[in-house]
Amino acid sequence: MKKYISLFLMLFLATAAVSVAQSDNISPARKQAIDSLALEKVKDLSKYISIIGSKETQFSEANRVMDRAEELFAPGAEMGVSSLNRKEIAYYKVRRYFERLMALNYDRVNITWYDIHYISDLERQPDGRYVGVVTVYQRFEGTSLESGLNYRDTTKKDITIYVEKKQTQIAGRTIEFWDVMLGDIRVTETSA
């Protein structure tokens, strides 16, 4: 009888462990919602970068938008900067990138992102998070009216996407949800 009880107990614990592990898996419907949220956050970042880089944006408004844009990122994330004039790619912490973008020495700056899509599916990591990669193309145009200097390039960038389960308190109840954060933005190629 003891043998059956221990067998039953082991079976019960194994079943409980499997159900806990499965509760952290993402259903196809949830994955589709997460993918949509990730792409929406990337599109929001695109709008924020355009506003921050525009010379028509007031300083106070640019700072407010920088704060909002920073909220999209995981702590410690970096953004790559490239140029047709140099081979190396420089990486900056997110806030520093935005400050440099705002201070560019052009009279007019236009930045547009296009062809935004996943290039790698979400994959579960040992720490329970899911990681994927979204690629975008960025068209940068800077114009200096006095010198007549025009600079244009197109950069392909890969954005790391982190998806993790978080908790919040609503009306005294703990609610779990999947959150999407942007990670490092790596430059993969730059062309004229």
Side-chain angles (χ1 to χ4, degrees), residues 85-109:
N85 301 328
R86 66 179 191 278
K87 293 249 185 244
E88 68 276 350
I89 298 169
Y91 286 92
Y92 300 97
K93 296 293 184 194
V94 171
R95 185 66 177 211
R96 183 70 183 126
Y97 169 85
F98 293 140
E99 291 167 348
R100 289 175 51 83
L101 178 62
M102 192 169 70
L104 285 175
N105 197 19
Y106 292 106
D107 295 309
R108 251 183 302 199
V109 172

Side-chain angles (χ1 to χ4, degrees), residues 6 65 68 97 120 158:
S6 14
V65 173
R68 292 290 308 267
Y97 169 85
S120 82
D158 289 344

Side-chain angles (χ1 to χ4, degrees), residues 103-122:
L104 285 175
N105 197 19
Y106 292 106
D107 295 309
R108 251 183 302 199
V109 172
N110 186 30
I111 302 169
T112 52
W113 283 15
Y114 61 94
D115 199 12
I116 301 169
H117 61 278
Y118 268 98
I119 59 168
S120 82
D121 206 10
L122 293 174

Side-chain angles (χ1 to χ4, degrees), residues 13-182:
L13 291 174
T15 305
V18 168
S19 68
V20 166
Q22 286 177 343
S23 71
D24 276 352
N25 286 338
I26 299 176
S27 71
R30 178 68 46 133
K31 184 189 173 309
Q32 187 174 9
I34 289 169
D35 286 349
S36 294
L37 178 59
L39 292 175
E40 193 60 40
K41 285 194 174 193
V42 170
K43 289 175 185 174
D44 286 347
L45 177 61
S46 168
K47 287 183 238 169
Y48 294 154
I49 286 175
S50 183
I51 292 167
I52 294 165
S54 173
K55 296 302 176 180
E56 296 172 12
T57 303
Q58 296 289 325
F59 182 79
S60 60
E61 175 68 2
N63 273 307
R64 186 187 69 76
V65 173
M66 278 192 266
D67 292 341
R68 292 290 308 267
E70 270 188 299
E71 293 171 2
L72 299 172
F73 286 89
E78 295 183 331
M79 298 178 75
V81 175
S82 63
S83 171
L84 295 172
N85 301 328
R86 66 179 191 278
K87 293 249 185 244
E88 68 276 350
I89 298 169
Y91 286 92
Y92 300 97
K93 296 293 184 194
V94 171
R95 185 66 177 211
R96 183 70 183 126
Y97 169 85
F98 293 140
E99 291 167 348
R100 289 175 51 83
L101 178 62
M102 192 169 70
L104 285 175
N105 197 19
Y106 292 106
D107 295 309
R108 251 183 302 199
V109 172
N110 186 30
I111 302 169
T112 52
W113 283 15
Y114 61 94
D115 199 12
I116 301 169
H117 61 278
Y118 268 98
I119 59 168
S120 82
D121 206 10
L122 293 174
E123 292 183 20
R124 187 173 182 150
Q125 304 301 301
D127 65 1
R129 290 193 301 180
Y130 286 81
V131 177
V133 178
V134 169
T135 191
V136 300
Y137 288 86
Q138 175 182 286
R139 182 73 177 153
F140 176 91
E141 298 177 26
T143 305
S144 293
L145 300 176
E146 189 175 303
S147 66
L149 178 67
N150 291 319
Y151 176 85
R152 291 185 184 135
D153 72 22
T154 300
T155 307
K156 181 180 175 190
K157 297 184 175 194
D158 289 344
I159 305 171
T160 303
I161 304 294
Y162 297 106
V163 179
E164 60 187 53
K165 194 172 266 192
K166 293 188 176 177
Q167 295 180 342
T168 189
Q169 293 281 336
I170 298 177
R173 293 183 53 197
T174 301
I175 307 294
E176 287 189 336
F177 63 98
W178 289 99
D179 192 20
V180 175
M181 300 296 288
L182 305 181

